[in-house]
Amino acid sequence: MVAKFYENLEKENSLGKIINQNSSIISLRTALKGHISEIFNGHIDEEFMKKRYKLAFVHAKVGLEPVYECFPRLTQCLFLNCTTDSV
């Protein structure tokens, strides 16, 4: 699921450029796997929220569009591939 998500993002030149200038697909995949696990473990506290604010700040700093631009892609990957791909 995570691999497919980033595979789709890389197809858009502007997003691929942002990714390649600021990080790597490998580190982003690892981060997203952790993010997904934290979302679904059901424990939302102050530390959880701090991580989300930090993530939003970094996204804004590198020029990434608001998260709602990518969220539909992530949910599509989640719901279409959850029975065949692992996180």
Side-chain angles (χ1 to χ4, degrees):
M1 172 187 67
V2 171
K4 185 68 170 173
F5 175 72
Y6 281 106
E7 180 182 310
N8 288 333
L9 287 185
E10 285 185 296
K11 291 178 183 177
E12 295 185 33
N13 290 335
S14 62
L15 293 175
K17 185 176 178 181
I18 289 171
I19 291 168
N20 293 325
Q21 288 177 342
N22 296 283
S23 191
S24 73
I25 293 297
I26 293 170
S27 64
L28 292 173
R29 283 181 183 177
T30 300
L32 182 56
K33 287 177 184 179
H35 180 67
I36 291 170
S37 294
E38 289 177 354
I39 288 172
F40 288 104
N41 79 9
H43 184 74
I44 298 175
D45 59 6
E46 187 174 341
E47 186 62 29
F48 175 90
M49 295 307 296
K50 284 180 183 178
K51 287 181 181 180
R52 266 67 248 152
Y53 283 120
K54 182 178 179 181
L55 178 62
F57 177 77
V58 170
H59 281 180
K61 183 177 177 182
V62 301
L64 191 62
E65 294 292 322
V67 72
Y68 62 81
E69 294 291 333
C70 295
F71 188 72
R73 292 184 191 104
L74 181 58
T75 55
Q76 181 181 25
C77 289
L78 176 64
F79 292 114
L80 294 179
N81 296 319
C82 65
T83 58
T84 58
D85 294 338
S86 62
V87 175

